[in-house]
Amino acid sequence: MVDSLGFSTIPAAPDGFRSGFVGIVGRPNVGKSTLMNYLIGQKVAITSPVAQTTRNRLRGILTTATAQIIFVDTPGIHKPHHELGKVLVHNARMAIASVDLVLFVVDGSVPAGRGDRFIAELLAQQDTPVYLGMNKIDLRDDDDAEAIANSYRAIADEQGWPLLEFSAVTGDQVPDLQTQLIQNLETGPYYYPPDLVTDQPERFIMGELIREQVLYHTREEVPHSVAVAIERVEEDEKITRILATVHVERDSQKGILIGKKGSMMKAIGSGAREQMQKVIMGKVYLEIFVKVQPKWRQSRTRLAELGYQRED
């Protein structure tokens, strides 16, 4: 529904409509963002092979004829090594306490590890219902499948949690997961307009698309030292012009990002621009500058300026 000014409105929910917030938690790089994108049906969270890709609590909204699920994709829970890490883990823990259900996602291609058990113990201290979801079943070896499943079944049985298996890449058994989650939500209203897929502003999505390309194109030492700020967005009928700054901690990282004769930045910018054009459904002119901000991950002031703040 759209009002007279062209804005989406929130309709009244029909009888029996279910709705609620589902927190997606787990260790870094278990496929939480990939799963949310699959459930939503389009890309709202960046993904990469690099651990700790997600930094902000990102909401993806799935609306069906009978339900609305707001998925809360959280940063991977890990042992923090700097102030940024502390903020991310704190915010992930806060998300656990503020949702209706928790989907604890694990890497189902390998046996349960200490990190999984740590998160399980953390979740056991909460009153929020938990589902244990084994992702990446498409990657596990058939010879090891039973032993891997048993390692997670032991955690699920100990806590009394349902155990579900799926692949966020192939979509295998994801519809069953979606059905289970909906069935365990209470009846409720639409929280967002039915046509909305995320509550994040467009500028945030643009910045994340640039950071995603950095994750894909640069070596190990760079990705976690990068933050992106969208400085300016100018739109007209034919094109959207975007000015962005990529912040790094050292001059050497700046050199890597720019590359020989600007080759690396050209690849990053080209990839980001292609993704942005899909989001806004129009042409994009993207200009990116790289700025050195020494030890920005250790500074609460810098973190706040770049959008990373502790949530209460």
Side-chain angles (χ1 to χ4, degrees), residues 136-153:
K136 302 187 182 183
I137 59 171
D138 56 306
L139 298 180
R140 68 187 180 192
D141 191 307
D142 290 341
D143 295 335
D144 300 326
E146 185 174 355
I148 292 172
N150 285 338
S151 71
Y152 291 110
R153 192 171 291 113

Side-chain angles (χ1 to χ4, degrees), residues 202 206 235-242 272-286:
E202 200 171 69
M206 290 174 176
E235 300 179 65
D236 60 36
E237 294 180 357
K238 295 183 178 180
I239 196 168
T240 299
R241 294 176 174 82
I242 301 168
R273 184 174 63 254
E274 181 178 338
Q275 292 298 319
M276 288 176 181
Q277 289 177 159
K278 294 177 182 178
V279 171
I280 69 169
M281 293 182 289
K283 290 186 177 181
V284 168
Y285 172 79
L286 175 62

Side-chain angles (χ1 to χ4, degrees), residues 188-299:
Y190 286 97
Y191 288 97
Y192 294 93
D195 57 349
L196 204 64
V197 294
T198 182
D199 65 346
Q200 291 289 349
E202 200 171 69
R203 282 189 176 216
F204 172 83
I205 301 297
M206 290 174 176
E208 287 290 88
L209 292 175
I210 295 172
R211 192 164 67 86
E212 180 180 50
Q213 292 301 312
V214 172
L215 294 173
Y216 274 117
H217 285 93
T218 59
R219 63 185 68 172
E220 188 67 26
E221 70 176 87
V222 175
H224 299 309
S225 301
V226 165
V228 180
I230 301 298
E231 310 291 354
R232 189 169 67 246
V233 178
E234 297 176 350
E235 300 179 65
D236 60 36
E237 294 180 357
K238 295 183 178 180
I239 196 168
T240 299
R241 294 176 174 82
I242 301 168
L243 174 64
T245 301
V246 175
H247 298 267
V248 294
E249 293 187 315
R250 298 192 298 273
D251 287 326
S252 59
Q253 294 166 346
K254 180 178 180 179
I256 293 170
L257 274 179
I258 294 174
K260 187 176 181 180
K261 295 183 179 180
S263 58
M264 180 64 76
M265 186 49 61
K266 182 178 180 180
I268 291 169
S270 177
R273 184 174 63 254
E274 181 178 338
Q275 292 298 319
M276 288 176 181
Q277 289 177 159
K278 294 177 182 178
V279 171
I280 69 169
M281 293 182 289
K283 290 186 177 181
V284 168
Y285 172 79
L286 175 62
E287 190 171 8
I288 304 175
F289 293 94
V290 183
K291 184 176 181 179
V292 178
Q293 292 264 20
K295 297 183 178 180
W296 69 262
R297 290 180 296 174
Q298 302 288 2
S299 168

Side-chain angles (χ1 to χ4, degrees), residues 12 14 58 69 84 107 123 135 188 206 219 223 233:
L58 176 62
I69 309 178
L84 173 61
D107 183 347
L123 294 173
N135 189 20
M206 290 174 176
R219 63 185 68 172
V233 178

